[in-house]
Amino acid sequence: MNSRQDSGSNRLDDAARAGWLYYVAGNTQDQIASTLGISRQTAQRLVSLAVSEGLIKVRVDHPIANCLDLAARLKSRFALDLVEVVPSDPASSSTIIGVAEAAAAEIERRLRSPTPIVMAIGTGRTLKAAIEQLPPMECPQHKVVSLTGNISPDGSAAFYNVIFTMADRVKARSFPMPLPVIASSPEEREMLLSQPMIQPTLALAAEADVTFIGIGDLGPKAPLYEDGFISESELKALQKAGGVAEIVGWVFDREGRMIEGITNDRVSSASLPSREKSLVIALAMGERKLPGILAAVNRRLVNGLITDERTAAALLAAS
């Protein structure tokens, strides 16, 4: 009896994985067959089973056993308040589709609450991809506040700042931060943050009930550098000082300690909301981001994480 139950559970796991590969990762049935080591006919049957069992509702609803196990172990190991692990796409180590899907579902769940909340949002490619998957929503009871400035060094709108994308999809009160991401000097930063129109936004960010942020690596293709917010010499100075990653512009080392000076004394982002009183969820995956994710969860810069199987396993192996 137990053997039959286990067999049925495993088959549903296979169906969920096949469904995810087909509907989320966009694999063909031939690709699924190759990835899972099965025939094309079996792949077709598994995808059909995922639909017939109600596992497919735009997103794959079935909690794959390995993902659940990894999430539980991460939550216990790092004392996190929320962890979600999504399947890794075997054909790609860089696709953010699964993490963005899971983040979109979590954001949507929070926004559908009738109880008013303050939601803070950071910036980044994965977060932008998640926001773009949200359905149109009417939720005037909520407030959405940006943690970071939305102005690039050339005066244009920062492309991966997501507050305006959010405002297009979600009818809630939105509070952007009309500031450069990084000021030209510490004095300019202090002057900008002291402006009467900025102070209420900073105060609102500090009161956030839930926050969604990305983690940017500080390698040769660091987002801060690639997007023009810091120069090559500043990137090298941050690396020399031990910087491994950043959250809304704040650069930290392998221990999760903020780097002193360099660009950190010019970042005009709000401070991260309290992890003791609220939920701060990082959306992050991949080998390049691993040192930063590990530092963030160890130092409790975040208390929530949405990631993929590979990254989850690597975090557990490294800790």
Side-chain angles (χ1 to χ4, degrees):
M1 181 68 175
N2 287 340
S3 176
R4 286 197 297 273
Q5 288 176 339
D6 289 344
S7 176
S9 175
N10 289 339
R11 187 158 180 78
L12 281 182
D13 283 354
D14 290 341
R17 192 175 294 274
W20 187 92
L21 288 169
Y22 187 80
Y23 289 101
V24 179
N27 285 194
T28 65
Q29 290 179 359
D30 285 333
Q31 290 172 321
I32 295 170
S34 176
T35 297
L36 300 182
I38 55 179
S39 67
R40 186 182 184 282
Q41 289 75 15
T42 300
Q44 185 177 21
R45 284 195 293 271
L46 286 174
V47 172
S48 297
L49 180 63
V51 174
S52 66
E53 290 294 326
L55 307 183
I56 305 299
K57 299 173 184 175
V58 180
R59 301 180 185 96
V60 178
D61 250 6
H62 184 77
I64 293 174
N66 188 48
C67 292
L68 275 181
D69 177 62
L70 288 168
R73 290 165 61 195
L74 283 175
K75 194 172 184 180
S76 174
R77 181 76 58 86
F78 298 106
L80 296 170
D81 298 317
L82 180 147
V83 179
E84 182 157 358
V85 176
V86 304
S88 295
D89 182 353
S92 172
S93 61
S94 60
T95 180
I96 59 173
I97 295 172
V99 172
E101 282 271 349
E106 184 64 24
I107 293 170
E108 181 180 345
R109 185 175 74 82
R110 302 274 173 174
L111 290 175
R112 291 208 182 277
S113 169
T115 305
I117 64 168
V118 176
M119 178 181 290
I121 54 173
T123 186
R125 291 150 175 78
T126 307
L127 184 55
K128 189 172 192 292
I131 299 301
E132 288 173 346
Q133 294 186 42
L134 290 175
M137 299 177 70
E138 296 280 346
C139 36
Q141 71 274 29
H142 301 317
K143 296 176 181 178
V144 181
V145 58
S146 178
L147 290 179
T148 185
N150 52 46
I151 302 175
S152 295
D154 63 1
S156 63
F159 185 73
Y160 291 105
N161 185 288
V162 300
I163 188 71
F164 299 115
T165 307
M166 187 88 157
D168 286 342
R169 294 179 177 271
V170 178
K171 302 312 177 192
R173 292 190 65 191
S174 297
F175 296 81
M177 192 86 74
L179 297 173
V181 176
I182 298 178
S184 60
S185 68
E187 293 75 23
E188 182 186 67
R189 172 186 180 274
E190 291 305 316
M191 181 272 291
L192 290 170
L193 293 181
S194 66
Q195 297 301 304
M197 69 177 296
I198 300 300
Q199 287 292 307
T201 303
L202 292 173
L204 189 64
E207 297 171 6
D209 299 291
V210 61
T211 300
F212 293 89
I213 52 96
I215 296 178
D217 72 277
L218 225 65
K221 295 186 176 181
L224 278 180
Y225 171 63
E226 291 261 293
D227 297 340
F229 297 116
I230 63 174
S231 66
E232 185 177 8
S233 62
E234 287 170 332
L235 174 60
K236 289 180 177 178
L238 289 165
Q239 292 169 338
K240 187 175 180 180
V244 297
E246 53 87 14
I247 295 175
V248 295
W250 299 109
V251 177
F252 52 92
D253 65 14
R254 288 181 180 274
E255 303 301 320
R257 296 174 301 216
M258 294 295 163
I259 300 298
E260 292 187 15
I262 311 178
T263 59
N264 269 0
D265 58 5
R266 295 188 282 119
V267 174
S268 57
S269 300
S271 299
L272 289 174
S274 168
R275 276 76 72 200
E276 304 309 314
K277 299 178 182 177
S278 68
L279 193 56
V280 179
I281 304 170
L283 325 178
M285 58 161 282
E287 187 177 354
R288 284 188 301 140
K289 295 188 179 186
L290 194 60
I293 302 171
L294 189 59
V297 295
N298 268 325
R299 193 76 173 189
R300 205 169 170 79
L301 299 179
V302 302
N303 56 0
L305 177 65
I306 300 176
T307 190
D308 74 327
E309 284 176 294
R310 283 196 201 94
T311 307
L315 286 169
L316 289 166
S319 61

